[in-house]
Amino acid sequence: MSHVVEPLNAPSSCTCPADADRDSRARSSFQEQQLALANSATLYVGNLSFYTTEEQMYELFARVTNVAGGGGIKRIIMGLDRNTKTPCGFAFVEYVGCSPRFYTHEEAVDCMRFVSGTKLDERVIRCDLDPGYRDGRQYGRGRSGGQVRDEYRQEYDAGRGGWGHNRLREEEERKRREAMAKERERRERREDVYRANEKDADAHTAPAGADAQYYETERAERAGPADEPTAGAKRGPEDDAEEAIKMQRTEDA
């Protein structure tokens, strides 16, 4: 069964050399890490809620300490987002003994037995032995500043900031494209309305020279029809003689 059951003294998944994407900074050999784990009193705690406090961690992990035997919790280092400096879902718990040469490795192993897999803030937490905390490891190594696992998480997790960072960027990009499409549609509708109004205005605008023609027509209508001679009628000499006789008779009378 040794090939089925994972030993409790295995290194944490964030520092195991086989998991290079979780801890690319680990330069020690596997034998050196095994030796460090054999005496380690540090635990890596994962899958925490972003809202879990240090006081809650103390209350839970202090339950497996042997204070009477000189053990106890030395400190708890909460994992922080590299950019915002806010909790990002992991922590380190260090146990310490009564003397520098006495490390409570047994307390750390007991914590993995009794605390790992329990619920804290309605989340199942996990505990792994850690070779030892070094300054700088309290910050997330993800692209967005948090943990790498939150970069690629596709499901919504309210306890860990909602959507994963990649999914969140996709959602933001989708909303941006939708907003741009709506803005483009609004501009097109506005341009259509403008063109329709411009077309109506052109329909009611008189062409060039129409004003002079209008006034000339109106003046002719007010003057009335002009008396024109009958087409084809011409005055001849006989007409002139007859008119002269009529005028003579009028004078004689």
Side-chain angles (χ1 to χ4, degrees):
M1 295 295 291
S2 61
H3 65 284
V4 178
V5 180
E6 183 180 355
L8 290 176
N9 61 350
S12 64
S13 60
C14 71
T15 58
C16 180
D19 196 0
D21 61 327
R22 298 292 301 274
D23 192 1
S24 59
R25 301 178 184 179
R27 297 186 176 90
S28 59
S29 65
F30 181 73
Q31 289 77 12
E32 290 175 347
Q33 285 205 4
Q34 289 297 322
L35 181 60
L37 289 172
N39 297 318
S40 175
T42 304
L43 287 178
Y44 172 87
V45 186
N47 199 39
L48 292 173
S49 169
F50 287 4
Y51 306 102
T52 298
T53 63
E54 190 172 337
E55 289 76 13
Q56 291 174 287
M57 298 282 292
Y58 266 107
E59 181 182 358
L60 177 63
F61 287 90
R63 296 179 182 180
V64 294
T65 58
N66 184 14
V67 179
I73 295 177
K74 177 183 177 181
R75 60 176 176 169
I76 293 179
I77 303 100
M78 302 297 292
L80 303 176
D81 186 289
R82 187 175 63 254
N83 300 324
T84 62
K85 303 301 185 289
T86 56
C88 63
F90 70 98
F92 297 94
V93 180
E94 288 185 338
Y95 292 93
V96 67
C98 58
S99 68
R101 294 186 179 181
F102 179 74
Y103 298 96
T104 53
H105 176 74
E106 292 76 11
E107 288 184 342
V109 174
D110 288 342
C111 182
M112 287 198 304
R113 288 195 180 103
F114 302 118
V115 177
S116 183
T118 61
K119 279 191 175 182
L120 179 62
D121 268 351
E122 298 302 320
R123 300 184 66 86
V124 177
I125 63 174
R126 62 181 182 85
C127 303
D128 296 307
L129 280 176
D130 190 88
Y133 171 78
R134 298 186 303 276
D135 191 29
R137 291 187 61 199
Q138 73 271 33
Y139 299 118
R141 296 191 295 272
R143 177 182 175 187
S144 301
Q147 287 191 280
V148 176
R149 56 171 292 192
D150 290 320
E151 293 288 333
Y152 304 100
R153 178 166 46 81
Q154 293 296 318
E155 69 278 3
Y156 184 86
D157 191 341
R160 296 184 68 89
W163 296 108
H165 294 296
N166 286 352
R167 177 67 180 272
L168 184 61
R169 281 192 288 268
E170 292 174 0
E171 289 292 321
E172 292 176 350
E173 180 65 19
R174 181 183 62 81
K175 291 180 180 179
R176 187 184 67 84
R177 288 196 298 266
E178 289 180 354
M180 291 178 61
K182 290 181 179 179
E183 178 66 17
R184 184 166 54 250
E185 183 179 355
R186 186 183 66 83
R187 289 182 179 179
E188 290 176 355
R189 289 199 304 266
R190 185 174 60 184
E191 290 178 359
D192 292 341
V193 172
Y194 175 78
R195 292 193 191 98
N197 293 338
E198 190 177 27
K199 185 177 181 180
D200 293 341
D202 292 342
H204 293 85
T205 302
D211 292 341
Q213 184 178 359
Y214 169 77
Y215 290 124
E216 185 67 24
T217 304
E218 185 179 13
R219 187 180 304 110
E221 290 179 353
R222 290 181 179 178
D227 294 335
E228 296 180 357
T230 305
K234 296 182 180 180
R235 294 178 64 86
E238 295 83 1
D239 295 332
D240 294 339
E242 185 177 355
E243 187 176 355
I245 292 172
K246 289 181 179 179
M247 292 178 64
Q248 185 65 34
R249 289 178 180 174
T250 302
E251 291 176 359
D252 292 343

